[in-house]
Amino acid sequence: MKTIFDKVSRQCSMAVTKSYSTSFSLATKMLARSIRQDIYNIYGFVRLADEIVDSFHDYDKETLFNNFEIDLERALKDKISLNPVLNAFQETYHKYGIQKHLVDSFMESMRTDLYKNKYLTEAEYKAYIYGSADVVGLMCLKVFVKGDNDKFEDLKDAAMSLGSAFQKVNFLRDLKADHEDLSRTYFPNTDLSCLDEDSKKSIIEDIENDFSKSIKGIRELPIEARFGVFMAYRYYHQLLKKLKRTPALKLKSTRIRVPNYKKIELLTRSYVKYQLNLM
C-alpha cells in the first residue's frame, strides 16, 4: 500500500503552496477542510511548472520542462508518480474528473514561456491567459463543485473571469521582473519601456471588468468554497486598487505588494462582509 507516500505527497503540495504564496495559502485555509488539500494539490502542480520556465535560469529549462511533462503524462495514466507533487495532483485529477484538455492547455501556455516573450495581438494574449490562468480556475472549480458537471457549466464563465483577473493583476504587479529579468511583455499594444497613464488605465479597466463578471459566480459557489474564494477575490481587488494608485512609471521600478498585516486586516473585513451577506 502507498498510503504513507500519498500522505507525504499531499504534505509536499501543501508545503509548496505555503512557501511560494502566503496570500494563496491564506485564502486556501479559508476553504472547508474537505476540499482544502485538493486545492493545495492543484497549486503544487501549477507552481512547479511555472518555476521551471520562470526561475531555473542556470539549467536547461526546455529539458527540465520536457521531463516534467513526460512525468505528468505518466502520473495521469498510471495514477502514481515518484514526484510527490505530481502524485498528489493525479489524485485530485482523477477524484474530480478534471478534463485532460485543461491540463494540456495549461502546459501549452507554460511551454510558450520558454520561447515567446512578446504578445503582439489580443488573440495571442487571450490564448496565453486562458492556458495559464483560466484553466487553473476551472480545475479548482471542479473541486469546489465536487465534480458536478451541471454546476460546473453554470459557474465556469465566472471562474474564468476570476482567473483572468488574478493573472492580469500579477502581470501588472510583476511588470519590473517580467520586463527586466525575463524580457517578457504580456500586454499587447503596450510599450513597457515608456508605460504611460493612459495605457495603465486601459489595463486596469479591463481587469475591473473581469472582476465584475466574477463576483456573481462567487456568490453561487458551494458553501465549502465560497469564503475562501471571496477572500482571494478581496485580496487581489485590494492589490489592484494599490496598483491603480501607483504612478505608471513607478510600476516599472518596484513590485507592489500588500503587507502581511494588511492581509490579516483584509481577512477580518472580508469575514464581516461575508457574514453580513455583503459580498
Side-chain angles (χ1 to χ4, degrees):
M1 295 179 67
K2 66 181 182 73
T3 306
I4 295 176
F5 180 63
D6 285 340
K7 181 179 179 181
V8 170
S9 297
R10 297 180 199 116
Q11 290 171 342
C12 284
S13 292
M14 185 190 302
V16 168
T17 307
K18 292 180 177 180
S19 298
Y20 277 100
S21 178
T22 55
S23 55
F24 189 86
S25 178
L26 181 62
T28 303
K29 285 180 181 178
M30 301 302 110
L31 300 171
R33 190 177 296 274
S34 60
I35 59 173
R36 196 180 303 161
Q37 182 63 56
D38 290 295
I39 301 304
Y40 287 141
N41 295 350
I42 291 172
Y43 184 88
F45 157 61
V46 300
R47 183 78 256 174
L48 217 57
D50 193 56
E51 283 303 299
I52 292 171
V53 299
D54 280 0
S55 301
F56 299 160
H57 306 308
D58 296 331
Y59 303 90
D60 183 341
K61 294 182 182 180
E62 186 169 8
T63 297
L64 288 176
F65 192 84
N66 288 341
N67 290 339
F68 181 75
E69 191 165 41
I70 290 169
D71 290 343
L72 169 65
E73 293 295 325
R74 287 175 175 165
L76 298 184
K77 177 177 177 291
D78 299 339
K79 299 185 179 181
I80 188 173
S81 174
L82 294 183
N83 177 324
V85 170
L86 290 181
N87 187 58
F89 175 67
Q90 67 78 24
E91 181 179 63
T92 296
Y93 172 88
H94 290 292
K95 181 179 178 181
Y96 294 98
I98 293 174
Q99 299 100 320
K100 181 63 160 52
H101 69 84
L102 299 179
V103 180
D104 292 341
S105 293
F106 172 75
M107 292 296 286
E108 184 178 343
S109 279
M110 292 301 97
R111 181 176 290 280
T112 301
D113 277 336
L114 292 172
Y115 62 86
K116 189 174 181 66
N117 56 19
K118 288 187 178 180
Y119 292 80
L120 302 176
T121 69
E122 195 70 22
E124 289 179 338
Y125 176 58
K126 287 182 177 179
Y128 179 82
I129 288 179
Y130 173 77
S132 64
D134 293 4
V135 299
V136 179
L138 293 176
M139 286 188 237
C140 291
L141 181 59
K142 272 287 188 179
V143 175
F144 297 154
V145 301
K146 298 181 180 177
D148 183 325
N149 287 326
D150 290 337
K151 190 71 171 175
F152 177 83
E153 290 297 322
D154 288 342
L155 297 177
K156 72 176 185 178
D157 287 344
M160 290 169 62
S161 292
L162 190 61
S164 290
F166 287 174
Q167 183 69 300
K168 292 170 187 176
V169 169
N170 286 338
F171 287 164
L172 204 54
R173 178 195 61 187
D174 298 335
L175 205 62
K176 181 178 184 293
D178 285 340
H179 188 52
E180 294 183 4
D181 301 340
L182 300 173
S183 300
R184 288 189 196 145
T185 301
Y186 289 109
F187 298 113
N189 305 314
T190 303
D191 184 358
L192 296 185
S193 63
C194 54
L195 182 70
D196 57 27
E197 290 300 325
D198 286 341
S199 297
K200 191 191 86 168
K201 181 182 178 183
S202 177
I203 291 168
I204 287 176
E205 286 176 350
D206 179 48
I207 299 171
E208 288 175 334
N209 185 49
D210 284 327
F211 273 130
S212 67
K213 291 178 181 177
S214 70
I215 190 63
K216 182 177 182 294
I218 295 174
R219 294 189 188 107
E220 295 177 5
L221 282 170
I223 190 67
E224 295 91 340
R226 197 178 304 149
F227 179 62
V229 178
F230 180 59
M231 177 63 202
Y233 165 92
R234 288 267 294 161
Y235 167 74
Y236 271 90
H237 205 267
Q238 181 66 32
L239 186 54
L240 181 64
K241 288 181 180 178
K242 196 167 183 179
L243 291 165
K244 191 174 183 177
R245 294 192 300 266
T246 304
L249 288 176
K250 189 175 180 181
L251 289 179
K252 296 194 310 173
S253 61
T254 188
R255 186 179 192 269
I256 305 301
R257 61 183 298 272
V258 176
N260 286 338
Y261 76 90
K262 279 288 186 182
K263 292 177 184 177
I264 300 301
E265 181 183 319
L266 192 63
L267 171 62
T268 304
R269 290 181 177 180
S270 297
Y271 184 71
V272 171
K273 282 179 174 286
Y274 177 76
Q275 288 295 97
L276 296 176
N277 201 26
L278 297 175
M279 293 170 56

